[in-house]
């Protein structure tokens, strides 16, 4: 009676993998793909049917346990949330908008909810900022972005759905009713809406999510994500002198054969390795590169490349010619439809991303809420220029309990695990530095898996003994370890088919034993870590928050967010361990674990 929405877990691995799948899976995936091509990727659940199912079904009591509702990750009191929208700083306040269903815990009836904060950690929910009220957004107010104009006025551009039968997408603009209100409580939509419509052969059902605009040479520019033909993801550039009349640049900024590009984002980063961010209008120079991010609707992950943006030709060229296929991701876990903004106060660029649930839609209806936002992360370009670095905003540290628990210079032998006691670790921030004395015993890397971290992790999981690693943390573990989520590293000897003699480091988040509840989506998530482990050191930070484990490997080179729903390892029954399932001993040179307080204000939740 229900249909899987593409707002949920990625059901279909990839278009190419789909072809080799047999039977019903391939059939179901083809239907989903066709739905997407037909412009119906936003499938609406029949809430009343789900409610009936939820009432009848065996929703495990643990799913309804308040101990699974996140403590310090952004969320409203109830209902469905998805994409972050229009984050900005204005007159002393951080503003955050997000896609929200005021009527239930599944996607649908989308409006822009609005919260404000002084510190990115404590949030106050305000009235809905943007909801259907004009012809060109009557059937939905979808994602968009804010731009601060040159006179300091903030404007919002967003996608409106203007037909009942199909998701016909147009772009609208909204202005604050009262610019002197730092909380920007009311937004008005000028009569001239919609201000951008799909024309010139654009697929009107795959044309959405305007970016923050940037300014140079008398013109504003912004991007709109689109699908061209059957499978080309595209970012179109629109230009305007007055922010009201927009013209499309004939050639797109960039495109790739990856399926629809949702929520594109383009922004400058400095190449000097400093962590400061740049305003979106800073243009390319020898000292400035650009990052282009796209959210791939088919995979439901956020991919980015680092490259050069040329404002004369309005084209973007990734540094790595294979970049669009290379698949660098912000996060190798559950993290989608992200958006960055420039914080002029602390001169940093901040990344917001949505983390969906991975229980069932029936569970979500029963628990009455679905979706959180990842902790906002500072992003900057690694000195190598090859990738971004990410780190939770420093404000988060204010939630750390005064007295952390720590371990120092503790050797963890082959097959050993060490429990970290003295804190309630279901809501915690854990930082560990590992020392790997020798790489001699590292296992060989199967060349067939050398480019597929996720597959590698699924066959060489946390419980499969290795040479150097797997070592890392067991978080949200039950007392007898029937439940545990493993976040770990595993080191391989360089594969013969890759042009490097550097050992290969894999980071994994393995939730396969995270819960005794059988009806959960529990994918192993993994990414490679571009670090020089030959120096013998690697670090891990995990933000544990009841049903989320958000981890940062090697100082933020590789990040993985997993949603987990333990049935036993809840609240005070959750345990934390360091484990080593490798043959080689490793050393925890330092571990610090803080219990995390709940922010005083979390939208009333
Ligand atoms: N979600 C929005 C769209 C966007 C998608 C609708 C990404 O604007 O493309 O809720 O999750």
């Amino acid at each position: 009676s229900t249909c899987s929405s593409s707002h949920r877990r990625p059901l279909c691995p990839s278009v190419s993998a789909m072809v080799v799948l047999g039977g019903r899976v391939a059939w179901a995936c083809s239907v989903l793909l066709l739905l997407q091509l037909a412009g119906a990727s936003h499938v609406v659940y029949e809430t009343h049917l789900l409610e009936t199912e939820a009432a009848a079904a065996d929703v495990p009591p643990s799913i309804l346990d308040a101990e699974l509702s996140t403590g310090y990750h952004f969320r409203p009191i109830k209902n469905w949330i998805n994409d972050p929208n229009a984050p900005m700083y204005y007159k002393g306040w951080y503003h955050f908008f997000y896609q929200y269903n005021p009527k239930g815990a599944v996607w649908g009836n989308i409006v822009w909810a609005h919260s404000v904060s002084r510190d990115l950690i404590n949030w106050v929910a305000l009235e809905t900022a943007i909801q259907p009220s004009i012809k060109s957004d009557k059937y939905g107010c979808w994602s968009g972005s804010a731009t601060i104009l040159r006179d300091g006025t903030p404007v919002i551009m967003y996608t409106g759905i203007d037909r009942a039968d199909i998701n016909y997408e147009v772009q609208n603009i909204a202005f604050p009713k009262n610019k002197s209100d730092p909380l920007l409580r009311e937004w008005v939509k000028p009569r001239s809406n919609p201000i951008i419509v799909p024309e010139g052969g654009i697929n009107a059902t795959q044309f959405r999510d305007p970016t923050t605009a940037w300014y140079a040479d008398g013109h504003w520019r912004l991007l709109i994500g689109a699908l061209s033909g059957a499978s080309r993801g595209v970012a179109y550039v629109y230009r305007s002198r007055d922010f009201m009349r927009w013209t499309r640049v004939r050639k797109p900024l960039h495109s790739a054969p990856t399926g629809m590009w949702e929520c594109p984002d383009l922004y400058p980063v400095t190449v000097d390795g400093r962590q400061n961010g740049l305003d979106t209008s800073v243009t390319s120079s020898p000292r400035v590169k650009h990052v282009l991010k796209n959210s791939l609707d088919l995979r439901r992950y956020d991919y980015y490349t680092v490259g050069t943006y040329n404002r004369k030709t309005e084209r973007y060229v990734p540094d790595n010619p294979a970049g669009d296929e290379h698949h660098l991701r912000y996060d190798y876990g559950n993290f989608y439809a992200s958006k960055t903004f420039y914080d002029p106060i602390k001169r940093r660029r901040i990344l917001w991303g949505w983390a969906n649930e991975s229980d069932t839609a029936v569970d979500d209806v029963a628990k009455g809420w679905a979706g959180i936002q990842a902790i906002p992360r500072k992003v900057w370009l690694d000195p190598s220029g090859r990738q971004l670095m990410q780190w939770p905003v420093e404000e988060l540290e204010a939630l750390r309990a005064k007295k952390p628990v720590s371990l120092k210079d503790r050797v963890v032998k082959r097959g050993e695990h060490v429990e970290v006691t003295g804190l309630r670790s279901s809501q915690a921030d854990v930082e560990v530095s590992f020392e790997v004395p020798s790489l001699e015993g590292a296992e060989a890397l199967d060349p067939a898996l050398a480019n597929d971290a996720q597959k590698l992790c699924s066959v060489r999981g946390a419980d499969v003994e290795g040479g150097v690693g797997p070592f890392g943390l067991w978080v949200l573990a039950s007392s007898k370890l029937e439940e545990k989520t493993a976040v770990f590293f595993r080191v391989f000897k360089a594969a013969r088919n890759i042009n490097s003699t550097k050992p290969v480091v894999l980071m994994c988040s393995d939730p396969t034993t995270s819960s005794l509840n059988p009806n959960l989506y529990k994918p192993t998530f993994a990414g490679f870590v571009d670090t020089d482990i030959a120096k013998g050191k690697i670090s891990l930070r995990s933000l544990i928050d009841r049903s989320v484990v958000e981890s940062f490997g090697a100082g933020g080179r590789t990040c993985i967010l997993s949603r987990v729903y333990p049935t036993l390892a809840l609240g005070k029954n959750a345990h934390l361990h360091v484990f080593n399932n490798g043959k080689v001993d490793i050393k925890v040179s330092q571990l610090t674990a803080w219990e995390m307080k709940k922010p005083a204000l979390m939208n009333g939740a």
Side-chain angles (χ1 to χ4, degrees), residues 539-595:
S539 71
L540 175 66
R541 179 174 180 192
S542 279
L543 303 174
I544 306 159
D545 190 6
R546 295 150 175 252
S547 62
V548 55
V549 181
E550 189 174 353
S551 305
F552 300 80
R557 279 168 196 280
T558 302
C559 309
I560 308 180
L561 190 154
S562 291
R563 299 300 310 277
V564 291
Y565 308 86
T567 65
L568 305 169
L570 293 161
K572 61 180 181 354
N573 298 321
H575 300 255
L576 172 69
H577 301 251
V578 182
F579 78 96
N580 178 14
N581 276 336
K583 292 196 178 94
V584 174
D585 296 354
I586 53 112
K587 185 156 102 184
V588 170
S589 38
Q590 176 73 43
L591 178 147
T592 317
W594 294 265
E595 209 169 291

Side-chain angles (χ1 to χ4, degrees), residues 407 409-419 434 462-463 465 469-474 481 484 577-588:
L407 283 183
D409 293 331
R410 173 68 156 88
V411 173
V412 187
K413 293 204 159 51
R414 171 183 191 170
E416 197 191 353
H417 54 96
V418 177
E419 180 161 5
F434 294 102
D463 295 329
E465 183 177 68
F471 62 84
L473 297 173
W474 285 336
L481 298 173
K484 58 188 187 314
H577 301 251
V578 182
F579 78 96
N580 178 14
N581 276 336
K583 292 196 178 94
V584 174
D585 296 354
I586 53 112
K587 185 156 102 184
V588 170

